């Protein structure tokens, strides 16, 4: 079982680590153009698209769970039907984004406080990158489908190739053709379409026998789409809660001054690093739990969960030790501002608690997505998010950064704890048989 987990988790971890490289490459290139407004435009534009696309994460997660169940019960017709549904919903959503791009743009700049120069360059970046939406959202469907088919290597290959193409194209457009922000945006779009074309190519290479089973009419009928939307509705609402907590955490730190904002941003990098690793194991949980739920194999499902939590506990202890020994030195690599580093020391012990408080939430998210028990995941997120705000406002006086971190840790721990309790309803033969029927 451990070998199966690592076979799925390691490529997913590599893919996760490469994701921020797309934005990092863009910032690095414009950082050599001589104007700070270019860097601000890429940062704001990247934030805007992260928020925009984050709302469509259900296309990857829901597709993974449904596909892995179809794989487990050896239902080839369902496998191809789910891919058609995911890609079609992605393309329809992208079309809506393209039609509504101007209202989205104006709403974004009502919420974002930027200088006129940064806004001008960000608008240029946005109006080019928005045309990559069909490629991005279609690729979400392919990525979830590949993981559901127990194949996390293909998404890794695609992510690596996209980064290489982005580096080459953006550099050429900027340094050879004299473009500025528009060159970086165009390079990103080229990389995104290259990624979805590669996904299509890999699909035809390894799964072309499913082509004859593809029926668009049958896949997109209301009855066929009902379960797809039921699962993804829960994931979408859960994602909104996640965005709400994350955005509030950042904005509340900003209200406490530039130093606290910088401290929280740096400390959250340690959480982000841990999340990249745990998300890889969560993806393995999606694939394996869905597979065994689809096969109605309760014994193997419980074995997979025990093995995943063994890795979760072990990695959490390792990260706690690493952060305790070298975490403050890591902060020194991110900034040389002595005031920020000194202030971060007053809050660093909160970061030490993150791995053990948060690993269960990551793993259960993956397991429950695979089991399509997404309603339990949504309920736990609603309770945990509500607790986050209650703790902060009731005990902090709305100015205490320690209480902000405590609320965040309770939020993580509650998600994992509540999902542990509710998971007992999933690990029953009756539940598996009900899904199979």
């Amino acid at each position: 079982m451990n070998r199966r987990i690592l076979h799925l988790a390691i490529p997913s971890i590599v893919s996760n680590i490469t994701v921020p490289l797309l934005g990092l490459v863009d910032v690095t290139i414009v950082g050599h153009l001589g104007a700070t407004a270019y860097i601000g435009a890429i940062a704001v534009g990247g934030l805007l698209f992260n928020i925009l696309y984050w709302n469509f994460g259900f296309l990857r997660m829901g597709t993974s769970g449904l596909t892995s169940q179809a794989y487990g019960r050896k239902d080839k017709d369902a496998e191809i039907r789910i891919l058609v549904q995911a890609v079609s919903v992605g393309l329809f959503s992208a079309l809506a984004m393209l039609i509504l791009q101007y209202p989205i743009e104006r709403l974004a700049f009502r919420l974002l406080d930027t200088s006129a120069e940064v806004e001008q360059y960000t608008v240029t970046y946005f109006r080019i990158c928005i045309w990559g939406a069909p490629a991005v959202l279609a690729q979400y469907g392919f990525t979830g489908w590949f993981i559901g088919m127990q194949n996390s290597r293909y998404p890794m290959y695609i992510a690596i190739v996209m980064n290489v193409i982005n580096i080459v194209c953006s550099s050429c457009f900027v340094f050879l053709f004299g473009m500025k922000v528009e060159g970086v945006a165009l390079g990103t779009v080229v990389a995104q379409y290259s990624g979805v074309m590669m996904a299509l190519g890999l699909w035809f290479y390894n799964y072309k026998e499913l082509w004859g089973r593809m029926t668009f009419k049958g896949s997109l009928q209301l009855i066929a789409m009902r379960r797809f939307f039921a699962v993804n509705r829960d994931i979408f609402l859960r994602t909104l809660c996640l965005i709400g907590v994350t955005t509030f955490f950042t904005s509340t730190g900003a209200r406490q001054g530039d130093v606290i904002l910088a401290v929280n941003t740096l400390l959250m990098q340690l959480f982000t690093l841990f999340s990249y690793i745990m998300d890889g194991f969560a993806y393995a949980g999606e694939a394996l739990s869905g597979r065994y739920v689809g096969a109605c194999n309760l014994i193997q499902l419980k074995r997979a969960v025990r093995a995943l939590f063994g890795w979760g506990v072990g990695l959490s202890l390792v990260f706690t030790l690493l952060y305790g020994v070298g975490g403050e030195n890591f902060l020194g690599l991110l900034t040389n501002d002595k005031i920020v580093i000194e202030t971060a020391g007053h809050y660093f012990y909160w970061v030490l608690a993150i791995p053990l408080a948060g690993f269960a939430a990551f793993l259960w998210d993956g397991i429950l997505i695979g089991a399509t028990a997404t309603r339990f995941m949504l309920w736990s997120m609603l309770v945990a998010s509500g607790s986050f705000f209650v703790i902060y406002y009731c005990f902090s006086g709305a100015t205490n950064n320690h209480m902000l971190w405590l609320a965040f840790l309770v939020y993580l721990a509650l998600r994992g704890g509540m999902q542990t309790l509710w998971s007992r309803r999933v690990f029953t033969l009756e539940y598996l048989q009900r899904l199979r029927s």
Side-chain angles (χ1 to χ4, degrees):
M1 184 61 70
N2 284 323
R3 180 176 292 183
R4 291 179 183 175
I5 289 173
L6 292 177
H7 181 74
L8 291 163
I10 291 175
S12 295
I13 292 169
V14 174
S15 298
N16 290 340
I17 292 173
T18 63
V19 169
L21 289 180
L22 281 170
L24 181 61
V25 167
D26 290 349
V27 171
T28 302
I29 291 173
V30 298
H32 291 82
L33 295 179
T36 56
Y38 293 145
I39 299 176
I42 297 300
V44 173
L47 173 64
L48 176 56
F49 279 106
N50 284 341
I51 294 173
L52 200 57
Y53 290 142
W54 206 356
N55 288 293
F56 292 93
F58 65 85
L59 287 172
R60 190 209 63 74
M61 291 183 280
T63 302
S64 173
L66 293 169
T67 304
S68 59
Q69 289 186 20
Y71 179 89
R73 62 178 182 266
K74 304 184 187 305
D75 188 343
K76 299 294 184 183
D77 291 329
E79 289 172 3
I80 189 62
R81 182 175 66 247
I82 294 162
L83 177 62
V84 172
Q85 291 171 342
V87 174
S88 298
V89 170
L91 291 176
F92 281 124
S93 301
L95 178 62
M97 288 170 60
L98 292 175
I99 293 171
L100 298 173
Q101 60 179 284
Y102 183 75
I104 292 171
E105 174 194 307
R106 289 301 89 202
L107 176 62
F109 286 106
R110 280 185 177 272
L111 300 175
L112 297 172
D113 185 17
T114 65
S115 67
E117 188 178 12
V118 168
E119 179 175 341
Q120 176 188 345
Y121 292 133
T122 305
V123 167
T124 300
Y125 183 83
F126 175 83
R127 290 180 180 176
I128 295 173
C129 281
I130 192 67
W131 291 97
V136 173
L137 297 188
Q139 192 174 317
Y140 280 6
F142 274 108
T143 298
W145 192 83
F146 285 139
I147 292 173
M149 295 295 286
Q150 319 296 297
N151 182 353
S152 59
R153 291 174 294 110
Y154 281 3
M156 179 185 69
Y157 298 155
I158 294 167
I160 292 172
V161 169
M162 282 179 61
N163 273 282
V164 172
I165 291 175
N166 185 44
I167 292 171
V168 172
C169 290
S170 295
S171 298
C172 287
F173 292 143
V174 171
F175 298 118
L176 293 183
F177 298 105
M179 296 182 180
K180 303 296 183 182
V181 170
E182 63 272 19
V184 172
L186 187 58
T188 299
V189 172
V190 170
Q192 289 165 343
Y193 278 99
S194 299
V196 77
M197 292 303 294
M198 184 176 176
L200 276 169
L202 290 172
W203 186 86
F204 274 107
Y205 175 76
N206 206 40
Y207 303 100
K208 56 180 175 291
E209 73 278 1
L210 296 176
W211 178 259
R213 297 175 180 268
M214 185 179 295
T215 56
F216 287 94
K217 184 177 179 180
S219 298
L220 300 179
Q221 285 180 341
L222 182 60
I223 295 176
M225 295 292 291
R226 184 173 297 166
R227 190 182 179 208
F228 183 86
F229 280 120
V231 169
N232 287 309
R233 177 198 58 222
D234 294 339
I235 297 174
F236 174 74
L237 294 174
R238 171 257 187 193
T239 302
L240 289 181
C241 294
L242 185 65
I243 292 173
V245 170
T246 304
T247 303
F248 180 86
F249 187 97
T250 303
S251 62
T252 302
R255 286 197 297 271
Q256 297 180 56
D258 291 346
V259 173
I260 293 297
L261 173 61
V263 165
N264 286 353
T265 301
L266 292 179
L267 293 180
M268 283 299 285
Q269 299 308 305
L270 298 175
F271 170 72
T272 301
L273 178 61
F274 177 70
S275 73
Y276 288 153
I277 306 300
M278 293 313 303
D279 269 339
F281 285 88
Y283 292 176
E286 291 176 24
L288 292 174
S289 67
R291 175 180 179 177
Y292 297 133
V293 165
C296 210
N297 191 332
L298 188 59
I299 294 175
Q300 286 291 80
L301 176 61
K302 290 183 176 180
R303 279 190 60 202
V305 172
R306 284 195 296 269
L308 283 165
F309 270 82
W311 282 101
V313 171
L315 287 168
S316 297
L317 292 173
V318 168
F319 270 87
T320 301
L321 179 62
L322 287 175
Y323 289 167
V325 173
E328 294 190 21
N329 292 327
F330 176 75
L331 296 181
L333 297 176
L334 299 178
T335 181
N336 57 4
D337 190 319
K338 293 182 180 179
I339 295 177
V340 171
I341 293 175
E342 181 181 351
T343 306
H346 299 311
Y347 302 98
F348 197 79
Y349 55 85
W350 293 114
V351 175
L352 296 181
I354 281 178
L356 287 171
F359 81 92
F362 285 99
L363 294 179
W364 279 124
D365 280 352
I367 294 164
L368 294 179
I369 286 170
T372 58
T374 51
R375 185 56 53 87
F376 299 132
M377 188 174 69
L378 173 60
W379 287 343
S380 69
M381 177 61 85
L382 289 172
V383 173
S385 299
S387 300
F388 170 84
F389 291 106
V390 168
I391 290 172
Y392 181 73
Y393 279 115
C394 287
F395 299 103
S396 72
T399 58
N400 191 321
N401 200 47
H402 285 290
M403 212 40 77
L404 181 64
W405 277 98
L406 174 63
F408 184 71
L409 286 172
V410 171
Y411 153 81
L412 289 175
L414 264 180
R415 282 171 56 195
M418 296 191 69
Q419 288 178 115
T420 300
L421 292 175
W422 280 327
S423 67
R424 297 175 183 176
R425 300 187 186 183
V426 177
F427 300 128
T428 63
L429 196 58
E430 291 78 14
Y431 179 83
L432 303 190
Q433 289 173 338
R434 187 165 68 250
L435 280 180
R436 195 177 179 90
S437 62

